[in-house]
Amino acid sequence: MAKIVIEGVRKSFGGFTALDGIDLEIRSGEFLVVVGPSGCGKSTLLDLLGGLSRPTGGRILLDGKPVTGPGLDRGIVFQQYALLPWRTAQGNVEFGLEATGVPRRQRGARAREFLDLVGLSGFEDRHPHELSGGMRQRVAIARALAYDPDVLLMDEPFAALDAQTRESLQDELRRIWQSTGKTVVFITHGIEEAVYLGQRVAVMTSRPGRIKEVVPVSFGECDALLGEALRSSPEFARFRHEIWTLLHDEVARARQLEKEAVAA
Amino acid sequence: MTTGTDITAMAAAGVRTPAPRAGTVPESVPRDLSGNGTGNGDEFGTGSETEAGSGSGSGSGNESGSVATAAPEAGAPGRGAAAALKAVRALKAVFVRTVAVLALIALWEVAPRAGLVDATFLPPISEVAVAWWELAGDGQLAEHTQASLTRSLGGFGIAVVVAVPLGLLIGWYRPVAKVLGPLLEVFRNTAALALLPVFVLLLGIGETSKVSIVVYACVWPILLNTISAVGNADPTLVRLARSMDLSTPRLFQKVILPASVPAVFTGVRLAGAVSILVLVAAEMIGAKAGLGYLVNASQFNFAIPQMYAGIITISAIGVAFNQLLVTVERRLSLWRVPASS
């Protein structure tokens, strides 16, 4: 059953069209990755899903009901972590719980439970500036999970991390997704990341953003593999190449558009 | 590019226009005394720096202590040496912090005695100390200090109570902030003392005009810092709160307010210095009590050591007040990320 339905969604700002005619269905419990060249409106799409902005045309349905604004049925993980610097890791996770009205006494235990889930037991009392980038993003993920949204919207969450941290967080995320059964919409510009994480990968065109193709990713018997074993498998390379080919022209076109914009 | 569309998306969604990422730490890094030219503040800037230095000094002292415990075979002598090292470090820190002041005192004592300056106009500091002691003994000093502190703390307090909420309000309603911005700049850059005659004209020569001028001078740094603090609240945090469907009052309470505390307090600290500076000057005109009056009247009566005694008292109060506010500020900004990140 479709969890999210995007129907002919268009978004323009003034005379500038960011998204045009987006059609996409996301199944319940699915891990969908959206990949596209920079400036193609990926983040705009995520804002629309999160209810932070409204589409200019078309509509977005969540569980069959149109999205009219933000809600706690969707949790967003931002690229810049968006942690409250004056709160500890624990306090940051509790922040989401305060919004949902979880009773004060349950918040502490719940926050600890989710910090444990992302592997941060023992770091509850650290402030964000005392944590590494990877740890900060783990806190942000714990926060988004703790108030138990059905849908997790992730906006290039690992883009600011170094390669090793990114890969270990990708594994964590797969594990968490498998154990919680959340519907995940994951935005990235990394092809490997898309292939590694996604059940399906939606490739976007450069401006105005459209869905060029949706590639189902399945490794057959290799599906149980993790990490380097999966990344070095021939199936992985095949998907990687397929998506690279789809993106290649778009990236070139995006670069051209960018040049023209700067020259103008 | 993506961020570009992000920004427009937010603007279209009626979310506050984000300031550039770098701008999220405003004139903050408050410890470097953003835009404070007063000698008072500057002195204190270095003061707090050296203190931070000594803090890390004692930190490394602890480190050496833990090294000693980590290597127990070094035994008691090693531990003793570590303790001695720690003591030496502490002494060194004290020396670094006081040497310049001590040098000034020494120079003040020696120069008049050696005839380098006219001892009539700059008596040696020992004579000033005697005069200070006499003033303290006969209760004059206490009387004048009390008069001054009542006025400056009163004015300062009123300014804090008025300017912080007002600043939060103006900062929150961005169009209002835009409209009022230039006007506030004009007021802030009009030297408060230039307006003293106006205050005297309107409010007379008594307490009201003196407290009012302190209020006036203190309001601007607090107001402007508060407005910019609210405006510079991290836009990602605002988005986060919006994505959680937080109501506006809750967003204000849970995100904007705590995010603004350090910058607001920088304004409060600047106002603290201003409150004493302005008051002393105001007391030199038409007052019958107060430290400014004491300094002025002593000069008038050619009681030069008493004049200097008054001046020293004023700077001591300024330093103490600033130190107090710096301590509170640091307590409130513990979470602040070091400037590097």
Side-chain angles (χ1 to χ4, degrees):
Chain A
M1 181 206 136
K3 181 78 185 169
I4 303 169
V5 178
I6 304 171
E7 281 178 354
V9 162
R10 208 166 60 78
K11 178 75 185 175
S12 46
F13 307 102
F16 164 82
T17 306
L19 296 174
D20 197 9
I22 301 273
D23 286 298
L24 201 58
E25 281 197 8
I26 299 154
R27 293 187 305 272
S28 189
E30 183 179 19
F31 199 126
L32 179 95
V33 177
V34 179
V35 62
S38 64
C40 73
K42 303 184 292 272
S43 296
T44 308
L45 180 62
L46 202 92
D47 275 358
L48 294 173
L49 289 172
L52 290 171
S53 62
R54 305 284 295 273
T56 316
R59 58 179 191 161
I60 296 174
L61 302 176
L62 179 71
D63 289 324
K65 288 187 282 289
V67 169
T68 53
L72 290 159
D73 46 1
R74 285 148 288 157
I76 304 188
V77 177
F78 297 93
Q79 184 187 332
Q80 310 89 335
Y81 321 128
L83 298 181
L84 308 173
W86 55 90
R87 288 193 177 209
T88 59
Q90 170 97 13
N92 267 287
V93 178
E94 286 181 12
F95 179 69
L97 300 173
E98 288 161 25
T100 39
V102 173
R104 183 182 296 271
R105 255 173 287 158
Q106 291 171 27
R107 281 181 215 150
R110 186 98 162 256
R112 271 189 294 279
E113 176 193 331
F114 279 91
L115 280 172
D116 185 47
L117 179 74
V118 297
L120 280 181
S121 290
F123 291 91
E124 291 88 352
D125 297 329
R126 301 290 185 90
H127 281 88
H129 73 268
E130 299 168 304
L131 298 170
S132 70
M135 288 170 153
R136 287 182 211 176
Q137 196 54 286
R138 282 167 195 263
V139 175
I141 292 172
R143 175 177 61 198
L145 289 170
Y147 60 85
D148 200 25
D150 294 340
V151 179
L152 208 52
L153 303 171
M154 308 186 84
D155 189 3
E156 306 202 28
F158 306 149
L161 303 174
D162 63 82
Q164 282 82 26
T165 312
R166 189 183 310 139
E167 288 186 4
S168 77
L169 271 171
Q170 287 167 357
D171 288 340
E172 291 275 310
L173 183 61
R174 267 178 71 130
R175 182 178 61 76
I176 289 167
W177 167 67
Q178 276 160 0
S179 66
T180 56
K182 302 278 179 213
T183 309
V184 181
V185 179
F186 189 104
I187 305 269
T188 181
H189 57 255
I191 300 172
E192 294 230 357
E193 185 165 74
V195 175
Y196 189 71
L197 289 173
Q199 287 182 302
R200 287 193 301 154
V201 177
V203 181
M204 287 183 72
T205 64
S206 56
R207 207 184 316 147
R210 293 192 182 89
I211 302 290
K212 186 170 190 178
E213 198 164 326
V214 180
V215 182
V217 178
S218 162
F219 302 108
E221 64 206 55
C222 298
D223 238 358
L225 291 178
L226 265 184
E228 206 34 47
L230 179 56
R231 285 195 183 87
S232 55
S233 69
E235 283 84 359
F236 193 92
R238 195 173 59 74
F239 282 118
R240 197 189 159 283
H241 184 71
E242 181 178 350
I243 291 166
W244 183 86
T245 316
L246 285 168
L247 267 176
H248 186 72
D249 304 340
E250 298 307 326
V251 173
R253 212 163 68 80
R255 202 168 292 154
Q256 188 58 37
L257 281 171
E258 217 162 65
K259 264 189 204 153
E260 282 164 16
V262 172
Chain B
M1 290 303 288
T2 359
T3 46
T5 47
D6 270 2
I7 287 166
T8 22
M10 285 164 57
V15 182
R16 317 168 50 62
T17 346
R21 202 80 180 93
T24 49
V25 185
E27 345 172 276
S28 50
V29 193
R31 270 146 230 154
D32 64 11
L33 304 170
S34 38
N36 174 9
T38 68
N40 215 339
D42 270 337
E43 215 169 82
F44 245 88
T46 42
S48 59
E49 255 167 54
T50 26
E51 203 182 87
S54 76
S56 67
S58 73
S60 50
N62 282 339
E63 228 169 79
S64 66
S66 68
V67 167
T69 44
E73 66 269 25
R79 202 165 286 207
L85 201 67
K86 201 171 166 181
V88 168
R89 281 212 181 118
L91 274 179
K92 202 174 160 192
V94 169
F95 176 75
V96 168
R97 292 198 61 186
T98 52
V99 64
V101 177
L102 291 176
L104 174 70
I105 291 174
L107 186 68
W108 192 342
E109 183 63 31
V110 171
R113 290 194 187 281
L116 294 175
V117 292
D118 190 339
T120 324
F121 298 127
L122 185 66
I125 195 165
S126 51
E127 279 178 35
V128 175
V130 170
W132 189 88
W133 188 250
E134 281 165 4
L135 283 173
D138 66 11
Q140 275 196 65
L141 198 62
E143 179 200 328
H144 291 302
T145 305
Q146 198 199 343
S148 285
L149 278 184
T150 312
R151 289 170 190 147
S152 73
L153 290 181
F156 170 76
I158 293 172
V160 170
V161 169
V162 170
V164 172
L166 195 63
L168 292 174
L169 215 65
I170 296 176
W172 183 245
Y173 294 102
R174 192 157 283 236
V176 181
K178 272 203 180 130
V179 170
L180 290 183
L183 187 65
L184 296 180
E185 277 303 318
V186 169
F187 276 120
R188 183 181 63 162
N189 288 301
T190 307
L193 288 173
L195 287 171
L196 186 58
V198 180
F199 276 81
V200 172
L201 207 60
L202 294 175
L203 300 168
I205 207 165
E207 293 301 301
T208 325
S209 66
K210 289 186 185 57
V211 175
S212 304
I213 193 107
V214 172
V215 172
Y216 176 87
C218 289
V219 155
W220 306 113
I222 303 177
L223 193 63
L224 290 162
N225 266 285
T226 308
I227 293 172
S228 85
V230 174
N232 285 321
D234 189 344
T236 354
L237 296 183
V238 177
R239 282 183 80 199
L240 168 79
R242 291 261 185 239
S243 81
M244 288 181 169
D245 213 7
L246 240 58
S247 64
T248 302
R250 300 276 276 173
L251 165 69
F252 205 84
Q253 174 207 346
K254 294 204 179 251
V255 177
I256 306 290
L257 219 49
S260 309
V261 165
V264 170
F265 216 85
T266 303
V268 169
R269 187 163 56 74
L270 294 176
V274 163
S275 75
I276 290 169
L277 293 179
V278 171
L279 176 75
V280 167
E283 281 175 347
M284 290 186 169
I285 303 163
K288 290 191 250 1
L291 291 167
Y293 163 80
L294 173 69
V295 170
N296 215 31
S298 303
Q299 189 253 13
F300 202 70
N301 298 326
F302 223 72
I304 301 301
Q306 281 75 6
M307 179 186 82
Y308 283 110
I311 293 172
I312 288 176
T313 311
I314 290 165
S315 47
I317 290 174
V319 166
F321 193 31
N322 194 63
Q323 184 59 47
L324 178 76
L325 293 174
V326 165
T327 310
V328 179
E329 182 181 19
R330 203 171 295 157
R331 187 72 51 89
L332 290 172
S333 324
L334 278 181
W335 52 267
R336 193 131 217 182
V337 189
S340 58
S341 53

